[in-house]
Amino acid sequence: MRHGKKVNHLGRTDSHRKAMLANMATSLIKHKRITTTLAKAKALRTYVEPLITKSKNDTTHSRRTVFAYLKDKDAVTILFREVSEKVASRPGGYTRIIKLENRLGDNAEMAFIELVDYNEVYGKTAKTEKKSTRRRSTSKKKPTETEAKAPVAKGDDLTIVEGIGPKIAEVLAAAGIDTYAELAKTDAEKVKEILAEAGSNFNTSDPTTWAEQAQLAADGKFEELEKLKAELDGGKKVDE
């Protein structure tokens, strides 16, 4: 009997199962669709969907947490830069499982699992229906003409600097630091003052290496920047 059996061990030890799911999740993120058995697809869905939700909050802590599960830097980069933008407006249910014919030989149930937002066939035919509700809600404040016509400031993507997330980038942009060049010539103590004024949530940030990283980005030396970030992330030096 299967009373209380909430986890399908898939006939493997715990370490083997985790390694297999990590490899399958990496393949799903890179290729957007993989074919496997139905049991593995269902186990993979519960494994990868929380990681996709985690990628919506692009911080160093989130990246390290996801990397602990995937153990693949390329997959983590694709997840946080590409997949997270694609699923930003979706509250959940990022994957879809579709059954296939049973496998010849052992007659195993087969299926393919894919990322919902990358299937253009389903995306074109699907109709979004507005849900009606009887609950009273306050009307959203409409933007004024001045706010609607206000130009959108465009700067460099400061989040490529190790230690800077989207919220910190917004704080720096509000202080007039929205380019690599501006960040490179800003003293670390000045950055600390800006973050301290923004709130206590940013007191743990360490901007001592931000200027050096920003200077590499401003000079277009992105390969050297990645090497420096690799040294800072985990303390491991990269051989040239």
Side-chain angles (χ1 to χ4, degrees), residues 4 8 16 18 21 24-25 48 69 78 104 111 116 141 164 176 186 206 211 233 236:
N8 187 349
H16 186 183
K18 288 179 179 178
L21 291 176
M24 293 174 65
V48 74
Y69 284 88
I78 294 173
L104 296 177
V116 173
K141 183 181 177 181
I164 297 183
T186 303
D206 184 12
D233 187 6
K236 296 181 179 179

Side-chain angles (χ1 to χ4, degrees), residues 20-207:
M20 181 190 68
L21 291 176
N23 289 335
M24 293 174 65
T26 298
S27 299
L28 179 63
I29 292 170
K30 289 182 177 180
H31 304 291
K32 311 305 183 291
R33 172 191 287 190
I34 60 174
T35 301
T36 182
T37 61
L38 181 60
K40 289 180 184 177
K42 289 180 178 180
L44 177 61
R45 177 168 56 187
T46 61
Y47 184 89
V48 74
E49 289 201 356
L51 301 182
I52 298 176
T53 301
K54 194 77 173 175
S55 69
K56 291 183 178 180
N57 183 22
D58 190 1
T59 61
T60 303
H61 176 69
S62 296
R63 285 177 176 260
R64 289 176 177 174
T65 301
V66 173
F67 179 76
Y69 284 88
L70 298 181
K71 299 178 177 61
D72 188 291
K73 286 190 175 182
D74 294 335
V76 173
T77 302
I78 294 173
L79 179 61
F80 277 84
R81 291 188 180 179
E82 180 184 340
V83 178
S84 61
E85 295 180 0
K86 197 84 169 178
V87 302
S89 60
R90 188 175 293 277
Y94 313 107
T95 58
R96 176 190 293 116
I97 296 176
I98 297 180
K99 294 182 180 180
L100 302 174
E101 294 182 356
N102 290 8
R103 183 165 59 191
L104 296 177
D106 60 355
N107 202 35
E109 292 182 300
M110 300 297 293
F112 69 75
I113 179 171
E114 66 178 0
L115 297 178
V116 173
D117 294 279
Y118 284 87
N119 190 319
E120 298 180 357
V121 177
Y122 281 94
K124 291 180 180 178
T125 58
K127 296 180 180 179
T128 56
E129 297 180 358
K130 294 184 179 180
K131 295 183 179 179
S132 60
T133 177
R134 294 184 179 180
R135 292 179 297 177
R136 294 182 180 180
S137 60
T138 56
S139 59
K140 295 183 179 179
K141 183 181 177 181
K142 296 182 179 179
T144 60
E145 293 183 1
T146 306
E147 293 175 348
K149 295 180 180 179
V152 179
K154 294 183 178 179
D156 295 327
D157 182 13
L158 300 181
T159 57
I160 69 170
V161 175
E162 179 71 19
I164 297 183
K167 293 184 179 179
I168 295 180
E170 292 178 3
V171 172
L172 296 177
I177 305 173
D178 57 351
T179 62
Y180 303 137
E182 287 292 336
L183 181 59
K185 65 182 181 181
T186 303
D187 186 67
E189 294 299 326
K190 178 63 176 179
V191 175
K192 287 184 179 179
E193 293 178 4
I194 295 173
L195 297 179
E197 293 177 359
S200 59
N201 295 334
F202 304 101
N203 289 340
T204 57
S205 301
D206 184 12

